[in-house]
Amino acid sequence: SQTIHQWPATLVQPVGSPLSLECTVEGTSNPNLYWYRQAAGRGLQLLFYSVGIGQISSEVPQNLSASRPQDRQFILSSKKLLLSDSGFYLCAWSNVNTEAFFGQGTRLTVV
Amino acid sequence: DQQVKQNSPSLSVQEGRISILNCDYTNSMFDYFLWYKKYPAEGPTFLISISSIKDKNEDGRFTVFLNKSAKHLSLHIVPSQPGDSAVYFCAASFGANNLFFGTGTRLTVIP
């Protein structure tokens, strides 16, 4: 069966520090991969999606970037965090024409 | 621009009664619609979906209705149970690449 792992679960980082959140999927090949952010009153905002290795599409301009170095690995990064980057970050995967399955999320607090 | 909208941020329903959660969308290209349930500090879990070629899909206590002409979908939960209390997100997609989410509705089922 397919599983998705996302870590860390919580993270407190100072302003200006770098960020790296990792997500891996098991049990499926060539999935679509997504990074979402849930901010208060904003629902789930799609940040990045990837349909294959090295293929990243950005939905909103921001202080973040994403990379897909392997088929089932998706990384969310920032060189310098801002206070406004605080939020709940979710990784998800899907195959064509199926629902997306989410990881447990990372609560990021930038202080 | 929010392409999927959930205009009711919260809903309270008595146990045993029907819960109706509503969702509107603006993009006529959407061809697949989903509902997710989310508990605090967890990733959303998939509940039920519907393709644009249908107008109703049922799974146990959950039924999703789609009105394409009105660009509206709804989730009915009958009967509502206290364990249904959560935030519900509707989502829509086209081209099997992106999922666009609404801002969520917090459902509280009162025992």
Side-chain angles (χ1 to χ4, degrees):
Chain A
S1 64
Q2 302 90 351
T3 56
I4 179 168
H5 303 279
Q6 182 183 343
W7 66 92
T10 60
L11 189 60
V12 180
Q13 291 282 99
V15 169
S17 64
L19 172 74
S20 180
L21 302 181
E22 189 163 343
C23 173
T24 59
V25 181
E26 297 176 358
T28 185
S29 296
N30 197 31
N32 291 339
L33 296 173
Y34 310 86
W35 278 109
Y36 287 88
R37 175 169 61 196
Q38 183 184 16
R42 297 285 302 275
L44 292 175
Q45 182 185 33
L46 178 65
L47 301 176
F48 301 95
Y49 73 93
S50 171
V51 299
I53 295 174
Q55 301 178 61
I56 309 295
S57 296
S58 174
E59 286 298 304
V60 293
Q62 62 221 318
N63 184 42
L64 302 168
S65 62
S67 61
R68 185 170 178 173
Q70 300 180 38
D71 180 46
R72 289 170 287 179
Q73 185 184 29
F74 206 23
I75 298 172
L76 183 68
S77 304
S78 173
K79 291 182 179 178
K80 288 186 179 181
L81 284 169
L82 305 172
L83 286 175
S84 57
D85 292 323
S86 294
F88 191 56
Y89 290 83
L90 290 154
C91 179
W93 75 271
S94 73
N95 285 324
V96 174
N97 289 329
T98 68
E99 62 273 14
F101 298 91
F102 285 82
Q104 287 298 295
T106 297
R107 170 69 61 191
L108 171 66
T109 304
V110 182
V111 296
Chain B
D1 183 32
Q2 196 77 22
Q3 298 189 56
V4 179
K5 301 176 183 178
Q6 292 175 258
N7 292 318
S8 297
S10 63
L11 174 69
S12 291
V13 173
Q14 206 71 31
E15 181 180 2
R17 305 295 291 270
I18 183 171
S19 294
I20 300 177
L21 297 108
N22 293 304
C23 180
D24 297 293
Y25 60 95
T26 57
N27 192 336
S28 57
M29 297 292 291
F30 287 140
D31 58 7
Y32 192 57
F33 305 88
L34 311 92
W35 283 95
Y36 284 81
K37 178 179 179 180
K38 186 182 181 301
Y39 294 115
E42 294 184 9
T45 54
F46 169 74
L47 263 182
I48 191 168
S49 63
I50 188 168
S51 163
S52 60
I53 63 173
K54 294 186 175 181
D55 54 20
K56 177 183 174 181
N57 188 26
E58 193 171 352
D59 183 3
R61 296 186 298 113
F62 301 92
T63 303
V64 56
F65 294 93
L66 177 62
N67 182 335
K68 290 185 291 294
S69 60
K71 294 191 178 69
H72 177 83
L73 68 155
S74 61
L75 175 68
H76 292 209
I77 307 174
V78 184
S80 301
Q81 300 173 354
D84 296 328
S85 296
V87 177
Y88 288 79
F89 290 97
C90 69
S93 73
F94 63 92
N97 282 341
N98 292 1
L99 270 182
F100 294 87
F101 282 86
T103 51
T105 297
R106 181 177 301 280
L107 173 65
T108 303
V109 180
I110 304 164

